[in-house]
Coordinates of all heavy atoms in Angstrom, one line a residue:
Y1347 N 4.6 -6.6 -2.5 CA 3.9 -6.1 -3.7 C 3.0 -7.2 -4.2 O 3.4 -8.2 -4.8 CB 4.9 -5.8 -4.8 CG 6.0 -4.8 -4.4 CD1 7.2 -5.2 -3.8 CD2 5.8 -3.4 -4.6 CE1 8.1 -4.3 -3.4 CE2 6.7 -2.5 -4.2 CZ 7.9 -2.9 -3.6 OH 8.8 -2.0 -3.2
A1348 N 1.7 -7.1 -3.9 CA 0.7 -8.1 -4.3 C 0.0 -7.6 -5.6 O -0.6 -6.6 -5.6 CB -0.3 -8.3 -3.2
V1349 N 0.1 -8.4 -6.6 CA -0.4 -8.0 -7.9 C -1.0 -9.3 -8.6 O -0.7 -10.4 -8.2 CB 0.6 -7.4 -8.8 CG1 1.1 -6.1 -8.3 CG2 1.8 -8.3 -9.1
H1350 N -1.8 -9.1 -9.6 CA -2.3 -10.1 -10.5 C -1.3 -10.6 -11.5 O -0.3 -9.8 -11.8 CB -3.6 -9.7 -11.2 CG -4.8 -9.6 -10.2 ND1 -5.2 -8.4 -9.7 CD2 -5.6 -10.6 -9.7 CE1 -6.2 -8.6 -8.9 NE2 -6.5 -9.9 -8.9
A1351 N -1.5 -11.7 -12.1 CA -0.5 -12.3 -13.0 C -0.5 -11.4 -14.3 O 0.5 -11.2 -14.9 CB -0.9 -13.7 -13.4
D1352 N -1.7 -10.9 -14.8 CA -1.8 -10.2 -16.0 C -0.9 -8.9 -15.9 O -0.1 -8.6 -16.8 CB -3.2 -9.7 -16.3 CG -4.2 -10.9 -16.4 OD1 -3.6 -12.1 -16.4 OD2 -5.4 -10.7 -16.5
Y1353 N -1.0 -8.2 -14.8 CA -0.3 -7.0 -14.6 C 1.2 -7.3 -14.5 O 2.0 -6.5 -15.1 CB -0.8 -6.2 -13.4 CG 0.1 -5.1 -12.9 CD1 0.0 -3.9 -13.6 CD2 0.9 -5.2 -11.8 CE1 0.8 -2.8 -13.3 CE2 1.7 -4.1 -11.4 CZ 1.6 -2.9 -12.2 OH 2.4 -1.8 -11.8
Y1354 N 1.6 -8.3 -13.8 CA 3.0 -8.6 -13.6 C 3.7 -9.0 -15.0 O 4.8 -8.7 -15.2 CB 3.1 -9.8 -12.6 CG 4.6 -10.2 -12.4 CD1 5.4 -9.4 -11.6 CD2 5.1 -11.3 -13.0 CE1 6.7 -9.7 -11.4 CE2 6.5 -11.7 -12.8 CZ 7.2 -10.9 -12.0 OH 8.6 -11.2 -11.8
I1355 N 2.9 -9.7 -15.9 CA 3.5 -10.1 -17.2 C 3.8 -8.8 -18.0 O 4.8 -8.8 -18.6 CB 2.5 -11.0 -17.9 CG1 2.4 -12.4 -17.2 CG2 2.9 -11.2 -19.4 CD1 1.4 -13.3 -17.8
I1356 N 2.9 -7.8 -17.9 CA 3.2 -6.6 -18.6 C 4.4 -5.8 -17.9 O 5.2 -5.3 -18.6 CB 1.9 -5.7 -18.6 CG1 0.8 -6.4 -19.3 CG2 2.2 -4.3 -19.2 CD1 -0.5 -5.6 -19.3
L1357 N 4.4 -5.9 -16.6 CA 5.3 -5.1 -15.9 C 6.8 -5.6 -16.1 O 7.7 -4.8 -16.3 CB 5.0 -5.1 -14.4 CG 5.8 -4.2 -13.4 CD1 5.5 -2.7 -13.7 CD2 5.5 -4.6 -12.0
R1358 N 6.9 -6.9 -16.0 CA 8.3 -7.4 -16.1 C 9.0 -7.2 -17.4 O 10.2 -6.9 -17.5 CB 8.3 -8.9 -15.7 CG 7.6 -9.8 -16.7 CD 7.7 -11.3 -16.3 NE 7.1 -12.1 -17.3 CZ 7.1 -13.5 -17.2 NH1 7.6 -14.0 -16.1 NH2 6.5 -14.2 -18.1
L1359 N 8.2 -7.3 -18.5 CA 8.7 -7.1 -19.8 C 9.0 -5.6 -20.1 O 10.0 -5.2 -20.6 CB 7.8 -7.6 -20.9 CG 8.3 -7.4 -22.4 CD1 9.6 -8.0 -22.6 CD2 7.3 -7.9 -23.4
C1360 N 8.1 -4.7 -19.6 CA 8.3 -3.3 -19.7 C 9.6 -2.9 -18.9 O 10.3 -2.0 -19.4 CB 7.1 -2.5 -19.3 SG 5.6 -2.7 -20.3
A1361 N 9.8 -3.5 -17.8 CA 11.0 -3.1 -17.0 C 12.2 -3.6 -17.7 O 13.3 -2.9 -17.7 CB 10.9 -3.8 -15.6
R1362 N 12.2 -4.7 -18.4 CA 13.3 -5.2 -19.1 C 13.6 -4.3 -20.3 O 14.8 -4.0 -20.6 CB 13.1 -6.6 -19.6 CG 14.3 -7.2 -20.4 CD 14.1 -8.7 -20.6 NE 14.3 -9.5 -19.4 CZ 14.3 -10.8 -19.3 NH1 14.1 -11.5 -20.4 NH2 14.5 -11.4 -18.1
V1363 N 12.6 -3.8 -21.0 CA 12.8 -3.0 -22.2 C 13.3 -1.6 -21.7 O 14.2 -1.0 -22.4 CB 11.5 -2.8 -22.9 CG1 11.6 -1.7 -24.0 CG2 11.1 -4.1 -23.6
A1364 N 12.8 -1.1 -20.6 CA 13.3 0.2 -20.1 C 14.6 0.1 -19.3 O 15.1 1.1 -18.9 CB 12.2 0.8 -19.2
R1365 N 15.1 -1.1 -19.1 CA 16.3 -1.4 -18.3 C 16.3 -0.8 -16.9 O 17.2 -0.1 -16.5 CB 17.5 -0.8 -19.1 CG 17.7 -1.4 -20.5 CD 19.0 -1.0 -21.1 NE 19.1 -1.3 -22.5 CZ 18.9 -0.5 -23.5 NH1 18.7 0.8 -23.2 NH2 19.0 -0.8 -24.7
V1366 N 15.2 -1.0 -16.2 CA 15.0 -0.6 -14.8 C 14.6 -1.8 -14.0 O 14.1 -2.8 -14.6 CB 14.0 0.6 -14.7 CG1 14.6 1.8 -15.4 CG2 12.7 0.2 -15.2
D1367 N 14.6 -1.7 -12.7 CA 14.2 -2.8 -11.8 C 12.7 -2.9 -11.9 O 12.0 -1.8 -12.1 CB 14.7 -2.5 -10.4 CG 14.3 -3.6 -9.5 OD1 15.0 -4.7 -9.6 OD2 13.4 -3.5 -8.7
V1368 N 12.1 -4.1 -11.7 CA 10.7 -4.3 -11.8 C 10.0 -3.5 -10.7 O 8.9 -2.9 -10.9 CB 10.4 -5.8 -11.7 CG1 8.9 -6.0 -11.8 CG2 11.1 -6.5 -12.8
R1369 N 10.5 -3.5 -9.5 CA 9.9 -2.8 -8.4 C 9.9 -1.3 -8.6 O 9.0 -0.6 -8.2 CB 10.5 -3.2 -7.1 CG 10.2 -4.6 -6.6 CD 11.1 -5.0 -5.5 NE 12.5 -5.1 -5.9 CZ 13.5 -5.2 -5.1 NH1 13.3 -5.2 -3.8 NH2 14.7 -5.3 -5.6
T1370 N 11.0 -0.8 -9.2 CA 11.1 0.6 -9.5 C 10.0 1.1 -10.5 O 9.4 2.1 -10.3 CB 12.5 1.0 -10.0 OG1 13.5 0.6 -9.1 CG2 12.6 2.5 -10.3
L1371 N 9.8 0.3 -11.5 CA 8.8 0.6 -12.5 C 7.4 0.5 -11.8 O 6.5 1.3 -12.1 CB 8.9 -0.4 -13.7 CG 7.9 -0.1 -14.8 CD1 7.9 1.3 -15.3 CD2 8.1 -1.1 -15.9
H1372 N 7.2 -0.5 -10.9 CA 5.9 -0.6 -10.2 C 5.6 0.6 -9.4 O 4.5 1.1 -9.3 CB 5.9 -1.9 -9.4 CG 4.7 -2.2 -8.6 ND1 3.4 -2.3 -9.2 CD2 4.4 -2.3 -7.3 CE1 2.5 -2.5 -8.3 NE2 3.1 -2.5 -7.2
M1373 N 6.6 1.1 -8.7 CA 6.5 2.3 -7.9 C 6.1 3.5 -8.8 O 5.3 4.4 -8.5 CB 7.7 2.7 -7.2 CG 8.0 1.8 -6.0 SD 6.6 1.9 -4.8 CE 6.6 3.6 -4.5
G1374 N 6.7 3.6 -10.0 CA 6.3 4.6 -11.0 C 4.9 4.5 -11.4 O 4.2 5.5 -11.5
V1375 N 4.4 3.3 -11.6 CA 3.0 3.1 -12.0 C 2.0 3.5 -10.9 O 1.0 4.2 -11.1 CB 2.7 1.6 -12.4 CG1 1.2 1.4 -12.7 CG2 3.6 1.3 -13.7
L1376 N 2.4 3.1 -9.6 CA 1.6 3.5 -8.5 C 1.5 5.0 -8.3 O 0.5 5.6 -8.0 CB 2.1 2.9 -7.2 CG 2.1 1.3 -7.2 CD1 2.6 0.8 -5.8 CD2 0.7 0.8 -7.5
N1377 N 2.6 5.7 -8.5 CA 2.7 7.2 -8.3 C 1.8 7.8 -9.4 O 1.1 8.8 -9.2 CB 4.1 7.7 -8.4 CG 4.9 7.2 -7.2 OD1 4.4 6.9 -6.2 ND2 6.2 7.3 -7.3
F1378 N 1.9 7.3 -10.6 CA 1.1 7.9 -11.7 C -0.4 7.7 -11.5 O -1.2 8.6 -11.8 CB 1.6 7.4 -13.1 CG 0.9 7.9 -14.2 CD1 1.0 9.3 -14.6 CD2 0.0 7.1 -15.0 CE1 0.4 9.8 -15.7 CE2 -0.7 7.7 -16.1 CZ -0.5 9.0 -16.4
Q1379 N -0.7 6.5 -11.1 CA -2.2 6.2 -10.8 C -2.7 7.1 -9.7 O -3.8 7.6 -9.8 CB -2.3 4.8 -10.5 CG -2.1 3.8 -11.6 CD -2.3 2.4 -11.3 OE1 -2.6 1.5 -12.1 NE2 -2.1 2.1 -10.0
K1380 N -1.9 7.4 -8.7 CA -2.3 8.3 -7.6 C -2.4 9.7 -8.1 O -3.4 10.4 -7.7 CB -1.2 8.3 -6.5 CG -1.6 9.1 -5.3 CD -0.5 9.0 -4.2 CE -0.9 9.8 -3.0 NZ 0.2 9.6 -1.9
R1381 N -1.6 10.1 -9.1 CA -1.8 11.5 -9.7 C -3.0 11.6 -10.5 O -3.8 12.6 -10.4 CB -0.5 11.8 -10.5 CG -0.7 13.1 -11.3 CD 0.6 13.4 -12.0 NE 0.5 14.7 -12.7 CZ 0.6 15.9 -12.2 NH1 0.9 16.0 -10.9 NH2 0.5 17.0 -12.9
L1382 N -3.4 10.5 -11.2 CA -4.6 10.5 -12.0 C -5.8 10.6 -11.1 O -6.8 11.3 -11.3 CB -4.7 9.2 -12.9 CG -3.7 9.1 -14.0 CD1 -3.9 7.8 -14.8 CD2 -3.9 10.3 -15.0
E1383 N -5.8 9.9 -9.9 CA -6.9 9.9 -9.0 C -7.0 11.3 -8.4 O -8.2 11.8 -8.2 CB -6.6 8.9 -7.9 CG -7.8 8.8 -6.9 CD -7.5 7.7 -5.8 OE1 -6.4 7.3 -5.7 OE2 -8.4 7.4 -5.1
Q1384 N -5.9 12.0 -8.1 CA -6.0 13.3 -7.6 C -6.6 14.3 -8.6 O -7.4 15.2 -8.2 CB -4.6 13.8 -7.1 CG -4.1 13.0 -5.9 CD -2.6 13.4 -5.6 OE1 -2.0 14.2 -6.4 NE2 -2.1 13.0 -4.5
I1385 N -6.2 14.1 -9.8 CA -6.8 15.0 -10.9 C -8.3 14.8 -11.0 O -9.1 15.7 -11.1 CB -6.0 14.8 -12.2 CG1 -4.6 15.2 -12.1 CG2 -6.7 15.5 -13.3 CD1 -3.8 14.9 -13.3
E1386 N -8.7 13.5 -11.0 CA -10.1 13.2 -11.1 C -10.9 13.8 -9.9 O -12.0 14.3 -10.1 CB -10.3 11.7 -11.2 CG -9.8 11.1 -12.5 CD -10.0 9.6 -12.5 OE1 -10.3 9.1 -11.4 OE2 -9.7 9.0 -13.5
N1387 N -10.3 13.8 -8.7 CA -11.0 14.3 -7.5 C -11.1 15.8 -7.7 O -12.2 16.4 -7.3 CB -10.3 14.0 -6.3 CG -10.3 12.5 -6.0 OD1 -11.2 11.8 -6.4 ND2 -9.3 12.0 -5.2
R1388 N -10.1 16.5 -8.2 CA -10.2 17.9 -8.4 C -11.3 18.3 -9.4 O -12.0 19.3 -9.2 CB -8.8 18.5 -8.8 CG -7.8 18.4 -7.7 CD -6.6 19.4 -8.1 NE -5.4 19.0 -7.3 CZ -4.4 18.4 -7.8 NH1 -4.4 18.0 -9.1 NH2 -3.3 18.1 -7.1
I1389 N -11.3 17.6 -10.5 CA -12.3 17.8 -11.5 C -13.7 17.6 -10.9 O -14.6 18.4 -11.2 CB -12.1 16.9 -12.7 CG1 -10.8 17.3 -13.4 CG2 -13.2 17.0 -13.7 CD1 -10.4 16.4 -14.5

């Protein structure tokens, strides 16, 4: 998982607040961004 420092700082605290693994939350962000891209392509 290659990311910038800014994104990782947000990700690790959000994962701690949500009580989930950091990589699990990262996968959720990637899936949601992919869904947004598909919606934009359809539009």
Side-chain angles (χ1 to χ4, degrees):
Y1347 305 87
V1349 296
H1350 288 97
D1352 300 354
Y1353 171 75
Y1354 180 76
I1355 290 175
I1356 299 176
L1357 187 70
R1358 67 177 183 179
L1359 178 58
C1360 291
R1362 178 172 290 185
V1363 170
R1365 300 191 190 99
V1366 295
D1367 186 73
V1368 181
R1369 289 168 294 168
T1370 302
L1371 182 57
H1372 181 56
M1373 286 302 304
V1375 175
L1376 297 184
N1377 294 340
F1378 180 68
Q1379 291 179 154
K1380 185 177 181 180
R1381 177 175 178 80
L1382 292 179
E1383 185 180 10
Q1384 293 175 351
I1385 294 176
E1386 292 176 353
N1387 293 336
R1388 292 197 197 104
I1389 294 176

